[in-house]
């Protein structure tokens, strides 16, 4: 057997002082690495975004129901339904988001009347309509749908008489709905004006 010409390696005969020095060096490396971490993210959510994602600590954020798979109470005589716009938000303050959907019949031309519906979904259940805010029978078109801080807002476009072409609404109303008690309460006013209770 040939012996090495090199002296014995230090780690083959380690003593407590060597382990203490190694542990101290590792602690220093970890401390420096902790100091060099990037700053925590500073982005903050708006109040409406926070309301839409309120949850219990550790629980995943609830997803707003998708209106695409919902059958809305809208008679389209076989023409099909179109979800023209939708907006999520926690409307009743329970921590779970609902979806507000503007829906109309799939029409080739003109401005078909819209319905505005609130869609919710209980855990494990299919999404369903729980409120109608604008009935298509009112013959209104709906634009600029938004949900902020639990308040739904939209512009309602209508017609002053049957003689006005269906392409070109000549009346405009700014409307908003807020959940109070056990129902949505509507406020309205001229488009761009201050709202009044309806």
């Amino acid at each position: 057997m040939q012996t090495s010409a090199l002296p014995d390696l230090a780690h083959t005969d380690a003593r407590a002082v060597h382990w203490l020095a190694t542990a101290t060096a590792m602690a220093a490396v970890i401390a420096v690495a902790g100091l060099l971490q990037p700053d925590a993210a500073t982005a903050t959510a708006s109040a409406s975004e926070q309301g839409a994602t309120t949850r219990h600590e550790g629980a995943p954020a609830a997803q707003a129901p998708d209106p695409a798979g919902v059958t809305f109470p809208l008679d389209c005589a076989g023409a099909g339904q179109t979800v023209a716009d939708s907006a999520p938000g926690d409307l009743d303050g329970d921590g779970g988001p609902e979806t507000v959907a503007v829906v109309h019949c799939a029409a080739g031309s003109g401005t078909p009347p819209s319905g505005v519906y609130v869609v919710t979904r209980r855990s494990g259940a299919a999404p369903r309509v729980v409120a109608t805010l604008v009935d298509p029978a009112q013959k209104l078109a709906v634009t600029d749908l938004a949900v902020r801080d639990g308040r739904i807002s939209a512009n309602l476009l209508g017609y002053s008489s049957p003689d006005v072409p269906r392409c070109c609404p000549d009346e405009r109303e700014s409307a908003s709905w807020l959940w109070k008690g056990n129902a949505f309460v509507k406020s309205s006013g001229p488009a761009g004006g201050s709202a009044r209770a309806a």
Side-chain angles (χ1 to χ4, degrees):
M1 176 171 129
Q2 185 176 0
T3 59
S4 171
L6 298 174
D8 292 335
L9 299 176
H11 69 270
T12 59
D13 189 24
R15 295 189 180 107
V17 72
H18 291 112
W19 289 113
L20 183 59
T22 301
T24 303
M26 290 300 294
V29 168
I30 292 171
V32 169
L35 293 174
L36 296 179
Q37 293 294 318
D39 292 338
T42 57
T44 57
S46 68
S48 62
E49 290 168 327
Q50 290 173 348
T53 58
T54 302
R55 59 189 161 138
H56 297 290
E57 195 63 35
Q63 294 292 321
D66 183 0
V70 176
T71 301
F72 293 92
L74 179 62
D75 182 14
C76 294
Q81 299 178 349
T82 299
V83 177
D85 199 1
S86 65
D90 182 6
L91 304 175
D92 56 5
D94 68 351
E98 289 79 28
T99 299
V100 181
V102 176
V103 184
H104 60 75
C105 293
S109 62
T111 307
S114 298
V116 178
Y117 305 98
V118 177
V119 178
T120 190
R121 177 183 58 218
R122 293 188 184 261
S123 180
R128 63 187 180 93
V129 175
V130 293
T132 299
L133 304 179
V134 174
D135 192 308
Q138 294 173 268
K139 306 227 181 280
L140 298 171
V142 180
T143 63
D144 303 318
L145 176 70
V147 175
R148 289 185 190 90
D149 299 325
R151 181 179 296 274
I152 305 160
S153 63
N155 286 324
L156 309 179
L157 311 177
Y159 306 91
S160 59
S161 78
D163 297 330
V164 176
R166 296 298 104 176
C167 67
C168 311
D170 64 340
E171 294 185 333
R172 288 170 173 40
E173 174 188 0
S174 178
S176 66
W177 296 265
L178 190 61
W179 180 258
K180 290 188 178 178
N182 59 357
F184 287 100
V185 176
K186 179 184 175 189
S187 298
S188 62
S194 58
R196 59 179 165 70

